[in-house]
Amino acid sequence: MKILLSNNPGLGDYILMNGASRYLAAQENVEEVNILAIVDHNKFLQITRMYEDEPKIIVHPEPGASGFQGIRRKIRKRAREFPDSEKRMFAWAGSVWPGAMERCNLDPKIDCWPELFYASHAVPFSARHEYFYIKRDLDREAELLEELKLPSEYAFCIDRGKRSKYRLTPKTNLPVFKPHHWSHLFSKYYIFDWMGVLEQASEIYTVDTSWMHLIKSMKLDKPKFYYNVRGDWLKNIFTSRYINDEHDNGWKTLNRNGDIITSNE
């Protein structure tokens, strides 16, 4: 059996779906998992890096498209190249998610969109953690740490995404390290080469970005804080497994001022 996958084009989406892809590749009746990555070249390299240890997973590049309609057109066109593969493909704007969740027996008022994405690939959501794996390059991680020359204790803070900059100030007594101050290193190191930096941090603060999905997948046992500044659209962070779940928990949710919040009210 061969399977062709495609999902929303954010790097965080691909990191989130790492466990789903590997779960499918681990099934005895699956001989090949093809991933159609409709992304720019840098993101394609990052996605390919995630699966370089798994010969059953093949990432196929396709230049990015404008909007979800453009992505879906590319999906339909490229899918014809895989006539013998079972298609498990989607590219959905947020407005489609509520109806799609209901069709998958999920509750848009309680559950979260990552559960929808896993259901759409016919993979149990527990595989997000149980099958997540990145073959780490410890030499590159050590090289990056040497370049950064970080103090023995620090708070790691992500306060911006690809399009949004929040300029958040964590309420901590530790020196705060923000990787965007070292953005000249982003072309030299993959996001996965920063895993050693994340592990050595004393505290973690992050908005909703690809970094957050990587951090969550790493299941770090340290104080972790999630800035809920991008809104709660179908994340349902206080009722779903978006932030705290049976595999990774202990997260505290903060507002823009850095104060802990415990509900959407």
Side-chain angles (χ1 to χ4, degrees):
M1 177 182 181
K2 297 180 181 180
I3 299 175
L4 178 61
L5 303 177
S6 187
N7 54 253
N8 283 27
L11 181 57
D13 298 302
Y14 283 98
I15 293 173
L16 168 74
M17 300 305 288
N18 174 290
S21 303
R22 288 184 178 275
Y23 171 90
L24 293 171
Q27 305 310 301
E28 291 185 2
N29 65 328
V30 174
E31 61 179 286
E32 191 174 278
V33 174
N34 294 284
I35 299 175
L36 178 59
I38 305 176
V39 296
D40 62 40
H41 183 64
N42 178 268
K43 199 177 294 182
F44 168 71
L45 294 177
Q46 302 265 11
I47 299 164
T48 303
R49 167 72 177 79
M50 282 203 294
Y51 302 115
E52 63 183 12
D53 64 296
E54 177 49 78
K56 288 176 68 174
I57 298 178
I58 305 167
V59 184
H60 301 268
E62 175 66 29
S66 176
F68 285 103
Q69 287 187 347
I71 295 173
R72 286 193 292 272
R73 282 195 295 270
K74 290 200 170 202
I75 285 175
R76 290 192 292 270
K77 181 179 179 181
R78 289 296 303 272
R80 300 188 194 108
E81 300 174 14
F82 302 85
D84 300 327
S85 294
E86 180 179 309
K87 315 302 192 295
R88 304 185 188 183
M89 312 175 77
F90 63 87
W92 292 331
S95 59
V96 176
W97 296 351
M101 291 178 79
E102 290 174 350
R103 290 192 293 274
C104 292
N105 296 316
L106 295 168
D107 188 339
K109 296 181 180 179
I110 297 175
D111 301 315
C112 60
W113 61 261
E115 294 174 276
L116 167 65
F117 283 18
Y118 268 70
S120 300
H121 277 180
V123 173
F125 190 62
S126 59
R128 175 185 181 175
H129 291 295
E130 293 170 352
Y131 282 82
F132 175 82
Y133 179 71
I134 300 291
K135 183 180 179 181
R136 295 171 61 172
D137 188 331
L138 299 181
D139 290 336
R140 285 179 61 80
E141 290 184 27
E143 179 183 302
L144 174 58
L145 282 164
E146 178 61 27
E147 286 203 52
L148 296 175
K149 295 185 172 18
L150 293 163
S152 59
E153 292 186 289
Y154 56 92
F156 184 96
C157 178
I158 295 290
D159 65 350
R160 60 186 58 200
K162 185 176 181 179
R163 299 180 181 87
S164 303
K165 300 177 182 179
Y166 299 98
R167 296 180 175 85
L168 303 170
T169 303
K171 293 183 177 180
T172 179
N173 294 322
L174 296 173
V176 176
F177 173 77
K178 296 185 178 184
H180 73 264
H181 293 155
W182 295 77
S183 59
H184 60 285
L185 295 177
F186 290 171
S187 61
K188 181 178 180 181
Y189 296 98
Y190 294 105
I191 189 173
F192 313 110
D193 295 327
W194 293 76
M195 292 171 77
V197 177
L198 291 164
E199 283 181 337
Q200 291 196 22
S202 301
E203 298 172 353
I204 298 285
Y205 297 80
T206 184
V207 297
D208 198 334
T209 70
S210 54
W211 291 90
M212 187 277 285
H213 289 291
L214 176 61
I215 292 163
K216 183 159 181 62
S217 297
M218 291 175 67
K219 301 188 289 289
L220 299 172
D221 184 16
K222 62 188 64 191
K224 296 171 291 190
F225 302 90
Y226 170 76
Y227 282 106
N228 190 33
V229 293
R230 290 184 61 183
D232 194 37
W233 175 244
L234 289 183
K235 300 171 190 173
N236 296 316
I237 57 178
F238 298 107
T239 61
S240 77
R241 293 181 282 180
Y242 194 77
I243 296 300
N244 287 303
D245 58 42
E246 60 270 33
H247 297 276
D248 174 60
N249 49 58
W251 288 83
K252 292 182 172 60
T253 301
L254 308 177
N255 61 20
R256 187 181 295 269
N257 297 323
D259 301 317
I260 294 175
I261 55 177
T262 58
S263 72
N264 289 323
E265 300 178 0

